[in-house]
Amino acid sequence: MMFQIFLFPFLFLWQLPQNLLALVVLLFSKDVERLDYRHYCFVLKVKLPQKVGGVSLGNFALISPDCVHDEFTIRHEADGHTVDSMIFGPLYLLVIGLPSVLHLLWYNRKRPAGQSYYDFYTECWANRNAGLK
């Protein structure tokens, strides 16, 4: 129990850039609802841009209202990208966040035949971390 009490503040500081970004997003969001808390991650229902199922920022997994009952999306964000954030810490936004956003924009624009959105390395890693196929 004591270990967990000290681990949360450490993880929060280790992931500070993405946690601050999450807090800014939450500051300007309406109707935020807590769905779950697991693995030092608050899973929250938040209105996100169209075609975005979820976003993981540090200790926060933000899930679109359209995906609150989609266990795959919740696990992908809360159990997948959250682990990447814990691993990469302050580098997460550069290694995972920015490439993931750029891939989403490219994928939604091009929709390449025979290629899944989840084939991209950031999404593969999140699925692997979450134990998803």
Side-chain angles (χ1 to χ4, degrees):
M1 181 69 170
M2 289 298 285
F3 177 74
Q4 292 180 349
I5 291 171
F6 290 109
L7 188 57
F8 185 86
F10 172 77
L11 286 173
F12 192 89
L13 290 174
W14 173 243
Q15 303 172 90
L16 190 59
Q18 48 272 33
N19 280 323
L20 290 177
L21 184 56
L23 292 173
V24 169
V25 169
L26 292 172
L27 183 65
F28 293 101
S29 298
K30 296 178 183 177
D31 300 326
V32 175
E33 181 183 329
R34 181 176 164 200
L35 300 174
D36 198 2
Y37 177 80
R38 54 193 192 202
H39 313 295
Y40 306 99
C41 177
F42 293 95
V43 182
L44 306 171
K45 179 176 87 170
V46 178
K47 182 147 175 57
L48 298 171
Q50 188 177 13
K51 295 185 181 181
V52 176
V55 176
S56 289
L57 294 168
N59 295 101
F60 303 91
L62 312 178
I63 307 298
S64 168
D66 297 336
C67 295
V68 295
H69 300 294
D70 181 359
E71 189 60 27
F72 179 90
T73 299
I74 293 171
R75 287 184 59 200
H76 176 82
E77 298 298 336
D79 303 332
H81 284 304
T82 297
V83 172
D84 290 331
S85 183
M86 290 178 192
I87 292 169
F88 290 105
L91 298 176
Y92 171 80
L93 292 175
L94 292 173
V95 175
I96 302 294
L98 183 60
S100 187
V101 167
L102 293 174
H103 172 66
L104 175 69
L105 295 172
W106 174 82
Y107 187 84
N108 282 338
R109 179 176 246 180
K110 299 286 185 190
R111 294 274 180 193
Q115 186 178 5
S116 168
Y117 170 77
Y118 296 99
D119 289 340
F120 192 61
Y121 82 94
T122 61
E123 310 313 317
C124 284
W125 289 359
N127 285 347
R128 183 194 65 221
N129 293 338
L132 300 168
K133 301 252 182 218

